[in-house]
Amino acid sequence: MRVPVRRLLLPLAALCAFAAAGARGDGYDRWWEPGEGRTFPVQLDYPNDQGTLRLLLTGGPLETKGHPFFEPLGPNGRACITCHQPADSMSLSAQTARERWDTTQGEDPLFAASDGSNCPTLPQGDRASHSLLLKRGLFRIQLPWPTREWNGKPIVPDFRIEVVRDPNGCNSGPKYGPAAGNLSVYRRPRPLANMKYLLAVGFPFDPKQGYALPLDPDTHKPMSGNLMADNRTGNLRLQMEDASSTHLAFARRLTREQIDRITDFEMRIFAAQQTSNRGGAVDTLGARGGPAKLRDSEPGQLGSIGEPVWSEFAAWEHIPPADAARLKPEELAFRQSVARGAKVFRDKTFLITDSAGINSRIGFGNPVRNSCVFCHNMTQMGNDVAPGQVDLGTTTMPFADPMPDLPLFRITCLKAPHPHYGRVFYTMDPGFGLTSGRCADVGKITLQSMRGLSARAPYFSNGLAKDLRGVVDYYDRRYNIGYTEQEKQDLVNLMSVL
Amino acid sequence: MKTIAALLMLAAPMAAQAQETGSLVRFVACPTYRDADSGRKSGCWLADDRATGRRWDVSLSPYKPDWNFAVLVEGRVTDAKPDACGAPVLDPVRTSRLLDQPCVRHMLPAEGYPGRRYKLQGRYIDPLSVPRAVPPGPYAERTFPVYFEFDNDFLIYQYDDYLLDKAVTWIRAAKPKKLVVTGFAATVPEMVSGQRIAERPEVARERAETIAETLRRLVEVPVEVKWQAGSQPTAEPDADRLPGQSQRRAEIRALF
């Protein structure tokens, strides 16, 4: 199909306007209001603290007017775009949430009582009632308990859940909590871009669960297992039905056409950091950072047998003197640091211990010596090629940081004890255990995409790390790695340009 | 049963003396991790046989220990030098985690031993993007065994996935009428390191159902499930000459 040149030019002009106007805090252009009917251009840049994020849309510009991803479908005024904002790499940073609160005095549909507040029972006008979203970027996720399969079939869990701490009131009382048949956890929105990677299937088996991959109920093909913190929805259709009925309070079922149009958009959008304030464009001097390579590459490759993870920056390991001379000294130093960071990510090993999904049941050993790339192994994305349900300890004691504003659950395994935590242990979010109903899966959280990180702090499913340094410090504590200050800086710099 | 007894009798006298190359050792021990570092996955697993007082390098097991639990070690003595980890090497070797027997975690420093640099080798599968070679016909009734660790039904990474991938490739080409999966459990108690050990009879069924579920996701042939407590060792090459390993199996029989 041929698109008249003039039709392409208009959105491109619009794009330049956004890029120029998009200084942090500059309300309108940065924030995509549901239903505002903007055109989504083929390329869109947004500045963030570390540089610029670039979004690429394949297949030409998109009229968002009437598009089910961008229109408020339900009565609460929200659309998918509300929590999956382009400037935030199709997630939502806590900073953006705070800016929205300040701009709208808390009136934005983002703060809907149902899940944009700590609990609907709290006085909604108070900022404090939305503290989890404003401080940690977390939405309330209410899940049925005991859990059900995607087709409604009940699952008999092999563990018991009791509420130990309920600081927000959504895990107790007549309507909320396990006693009332549900459970509330609090999670970050996952970045909705580069989706072909998250859906890619590398191998026929899930080595962590010890089965062939489960089949997609719609296509009967194997599913990647890489969606959602708890993998409760295995394909995009199931995910958007879950999202529209909960986040959008949409009471009806999405039509076939709506499902197709949302899927179409989800598959076309790519996002990654394009420039660094300190290092310049990430696709120069031989480097191949940025979203274009992501868009153009084959998804689902295992870094260890193909292109090594973050080898996008290999050319910066040895910048020829002639090129180096043309960079500012700080720029050169930053680029060299990014290249070292990629090597630290792949090569600096440490002992990984007591992380279910890695140290059990799969037989790598407990402990096993490996590096960041062991788990973050997909080329270009840093998610897990195999279904990525791993217990890093971010939500579970004793490895999680104390987070007194989150609920705490006591888990009692009714059959075999948990291989690392024993029969009774404590978690703020059982993660994949809520989906599988298995004690051994409690605390496992699906690895996310590692792209566009600079646009979407805080990090980890529960916002435990407020910045990238916080991520590295968490790993350093968790696995007693002993990174040098230089190595920490290099990792942070690497992650800031992904 | 005779076969196991015979194999055990063969193994027993040798265990007392310096063990000869190729002889079988089988014992229960708390594993020790030696923090050798030649990069990823290079650390060492050691286990001491209390009966002989000998320490073995059991790192070549496809399913490695958890330092918090005892392991059932089954392996064959090699004449490899103890250079990598500081102990004579068992190969082939298996280390089944015994999750009801807690151990104090113990880690030794490298003490100059390098461990083994990781190399992708042996039983591993290609990504789905690599087309599988179609196995040549003619196709007739055939049985594919898959193996497990002691008392569990977990599909062993870079062992069972490899065996299943081969079986499935053949099944897709051969198009049998149905598959019968039979799970076996080694339920007859044996004395190992002064302990009576036996698999639960239920694990036979668990194995059969695990493999059947996996097959249903991979091929469109009807799968029937059977199980049987009690299991004879076999001489199947993929059990690596380890009688215990050959007993802990499920068999996929393709019928036409």
Side-chain angles (χ1 to χ4, degrees):
Chain A
M1 194 185 76
R2 289 190 48 191
V3 184
V5 175
R6 220 171 328 144
R7 273 186 49 201
L8 277 178
L9 280 180
L10 215 131
L12 279 177
L15 137 78
C16 297
F18 297 150
R24 231 347 321 175
D26 178 341
Y28 173 77
D29 284 330
R30 202 177 168 84
W31 177 258
W32 282 63
E33 198 76 59
E36 67 177 42
R38 260 192 256 182
T39 303
F40 206 112
V42 293
Q43 181 180 316
L44 185 51
D45 288 4
Y46 282 109
N48 51 50
D49 292 345
Q50 302 302 321
T52 317
L53 179 89
R54 175 163 294 172
L55 299 117
L56 297 177
L57 185 70
T58 61
L62 179 76
E63 291 304 335
T64 66
K65 182 118 217 99
H67 191 289
F69 190 89
F70 297 84
E71 292 288 339
L73 298 178
N76 68 8
R78 282 180 177 166
C80 307
I81 192 79
T82 305
C83 304
H84 297 284
Q85 286 280 329
D88 295 2
S89 198
M90 303 307 289
S91 172
L92 187 88
S93 70
Q95 188 184 342
T96 299
R98 287 192 292 272
E99 286 168 7
R100 286 316 288 168
W101 182 275
D102 295 340
T103 309
T104 67
Q105 272 75 58
E107 295 293 321
D108 195 291
L110 179 62
F111 303 104
S114 60
D115 61 355
S117 82
N118 300 359
C119 189
T121 55
L122 299 169
Q124 291 300 307
D126 293 0
R127 204 184 159 100
S129 304
H130 307 267
S131 61
L132 291 173
L133 175 50
L134 295 169
K135 273 202 269 185
R136 301 194 192 272
L138 301 176
F139 288 93
R140 187 173 72 93
I141 312 275
Q142 181 175 316
L143 299 161
W145 184 256
T147 188
R148 291 174 180 281
E149 280 183 48
W150 60 269
N151 52 14
K153 262 191 4 209
I155 289 175
V156 182
D158 70 357
F159 61 96
R160 189 168 65 228
I161 292 188
E162 292 153 297
V163 180
V164 176
R165 182 174 81 221
D166 183 23
N168 311 300
C170 256
N171 282 297
S172 54
K175 278 175 65 188
Y176 297 103
N182 64 66
L183 198 128
S184 287
V185 292
Y186 297 82
R187 293 184 184 151
R188 298 275 302 117
R190 295 166 71 89
L192 211 169
N194 316 321
M195 208 39 102
K196 68 176 177 184
Y197 293 85
L198 295 175
L199 296 176
V201 170
F203 295 87
F205 298 95
D206 178 347
K208 301 183 178 80
Q209 292 301 109
Y211 284 92
L213 292 175
L215 300 182
D216 187 313
D218 299 338
T219 64
H220 304 287
K221 297 225 168 70
M223 294 188 290
S224 70
N226 276 327
L227 292 183
M228 309 289 264
D230 53 15
N231 194 223
R232 67 184 176 280
T233 57
N235 71 18
L236 291 179
R237 196 251 315 160
L238 292 166
Q239 195 288 327
M240 67 184 81
E241 284 173 354
D242 176 303
S244 64
S245 65
T246 58
H247 304 313
L248 309 186
F250 183 55
R252 280 173 292 144
R253 284 182 80 93
L254 293 172
T255 64
R256 185 72 250 170
E257 195 217 347
Q258 287 171 323
I259 292 171
D260 290 345
R261 292 180 74 191
I262 294 175
T263 306
D264 169 73
F265 174 71
E266 290 180 327
M267 297 308 293
R268 286 167 61 189
I269 184 82
F270 293 85
Q273 196 78 351
Q274 176 64 28
T275 63
S276 155
N277 288 340
R278 286 177 295 159
V282 300
D283 56 358
T284 53
L285 295 188
R288 291 170 305 157
K293 176 155 173 71
L294 261 174
R295 178 197 56 199
D296 299 338
S297 298
E298 195 57 39
Q301 311 295 318
L302 194 57
S304 60
I305 57 174
E307 260 180 71
V309 176
W310 314 141
S311 58
E312 283 88 336
F313 304 101
W316 288 356
E317 281 168 32
H318 307 285
I319 299 178
D323 289 332
R326 271 183 273 124
L327 295 171
K328 290 195 218 103
E330 315 83 78
E331 267 176 7
L332 176 64
F334 183 84
R335 289 180 178 213
Q336 288 166 335
S337 169
V338 166
R340 282 196 305 272
K343 292 181 76 165
V344 173
F345 194 88
R346 289 193 302 267
D347 300 340
K348 167 87 180 190
T349 63
F350 45 89
L351 291 183
I352 297 167
T353 51
D354 298 328
S355 290
I358 291 292
N359 303 111
S360 66
R361 287 178 85 187
I362 191 169
F364 289 125
N366 183 26
V368 58
R369 178 171 285 286
N370 222 308
S371 65
C372 305
V373 86
F374 191 31
C375 302
H376 297 276
N377 51 44
M378 192 188 286
T379 302
Q380 282 119 25
M381 269 293 268
N383 62 311
D384 195 340
V385 171
Q389 285 77 41
V390 173
D391 174 20
L392 195 60
T394 42
T395 67
T396 301
M397 313 314 287
F399 303 119
D401 293 345
M403 296 170 88
D405 48 351
L406 290 181
L408 187 69
F409 305 99
R410 180 191 296 113
I411 304 293
T412 306
C413 302
L414 302 174
K415 290 185 184 158
H418 186 284
H420 311 299
Y421 297 125
R423 192 162 296 283
V424 179
F425 59 103
Y426 298 85
T427 185
M428 292 179 273
D429 182 348
F432 185 51
L434 290 176
T435 301
S436 72
R438 298 185 56 142
C439 208
D441 293 328
V442 170
K444 291 182 182 173
I445 301 288
T446 314
L447 279 91
Q448 310 84 340
S449 151
M450 285 190 70
R451 302 311 296 259
L453 287 167
S454 285
R456 55 179 176 88
Y459 307 104
F460 295 131
S461 57
N462 58 1
L464 175 147
K466 74 174 193 318
D467 51 23
L468 291 173
R469 178 59 183 243
V471 170
V472 175
D473 287 341
Y474 176 76
Y475 281 105
D476 203 39
R477 291 196 294 280
R478 170 67 183 84
Y479 296 127
N480 202 7
I481 300 175
Y483 283 131
T484 63
E485 184 52 37
Q486 178 74 72
E487 287 170 328
K488 289 187 185 181
Q489 258 316 310
D490 292 345
L491 278 172
V492 168
N493 289 342
L494 164 75
M495 292 194 286
S496 79
V497 299
L498 299 179
Chain B
M1 278 312 77
K2 237 195 226 138
T3 354
I4 307 177
L7 281 163
L8 285 176
M9 267 161 51
L10 271 176
M14 278 185 247
Q17 305 140 21
Q19 284 126 325
E20 280 166 39
T21 301
S23 64
L24 187 70
V25 291
R26 193 167 193 234
F27 58 93
V28 173
C30 283
T32 298
Y33 183 75
R34 184 191 282 289
D35 193 15
D37 183 1
S38 300
R40 64 195 175 112
K41 300 185 188 169
S42 61
C44 295
W45 286 103
L46 305 171
D48 300 357
D49 182 350
R50 289 189 286 262
T52 61
R54 295 199 69 181
R55 169 165 294 179
W56 297 100
D57 174 356
V58 299
S59 318
L60 295 172
S61 172
Y63 189 90
K64 303 196 194 318
D66 176 334
W67 59 6
N68 290 314
F69 300 101
V71 281
L72 168 65
V73 175
E74 300 160 289
R76 291 205 178 264
V77 176
T78 65
D79 54 9
K81 292 214 183 68
D83 296 349
C85 295
V89 179
L90 296 182
D91 184 22
V93 61
R94 298 292 183 272
T95 50
S96 298
R97 297 178 186 180
L98 304 177
L99 297 179
D100 55 349
Q101 297 190 36
C103 287
V104 175
R105 52 168 74 180
H106 181 37
M107 179 159 73
L108 291 173
E111 296 181 298
Y113 293 103
R116 287 182 189 81
R117 179 166 284 278
Y118 177 73
K119 211 163 73 217
L120 186 62
Q121 58 186 1
R123 298 181 173 111
Y124 66 90
I125 62 173
D126 285 323
L128 281 170
S129 53
V130 179
R132 274 49 173 171
V134 178
Y139 307 114
E141 182 171 330
R142 185 167 166 191
T143 300
F144 298 88
V146 289
Y147 301 101
F148 302 89
E149 294 299 302
F150 183 81
D151 211 28
N152 79 45
D153 65 335
F154 188 73
L155 210 138
I156 302 165
Y157 177 62
Q158 295 189 347
Y159 188 18
D160 288 320
D161 49 357
Y162 167 86
L163 297 175
L164 280 165
D165 197 61
K166 281 210 305 194
V168 161
T169 304
W170 186 89
I171 291 164
R172 284 183 180 145
K175 301 190 173 55
K177 230 199 247 96
K178 76 171 180 185
L179 302 173
V180 180
V181 178
T182 310
F184 296 87
T187 48
V188 177
E190 294 174 59
M191 292 303 286
V192 181
S193 299
Q195 259 177 245
R196 251 168 85 90
I197 64 161
E199 293 196 305
R200 292 167 300 126
E202 304 88 274
V203 81
R205 178 175 184 172
E206 291 162 13
R207 284 171 181 162
E209 285 179 348
T210 296
I211 296 303
E213 175 60 23
T214 272
L215 287 171
R216 288 188 193 108
R217 295 175 185 185
L218 292 170
V219 291
E220 276 170 34
V221 182
V223 184
E224 194 181 306
V225 177
K226 293 183 172 172
W227 54 89
Q228 178 185 322
S231 174
Q232 297 296 319
T234 72
E236 287 289 336
D238 282 318
D240 292 342
R241 298 179 292 129
L242 298 171
Q245 179 69 96
S246 75
Q247 286 175 283
R248 298 188 299 266
R249 71 182 182 277
E251 290 177 355
I252 304 162
R253 192 140 47 95
L255 298 174
F256 289 82

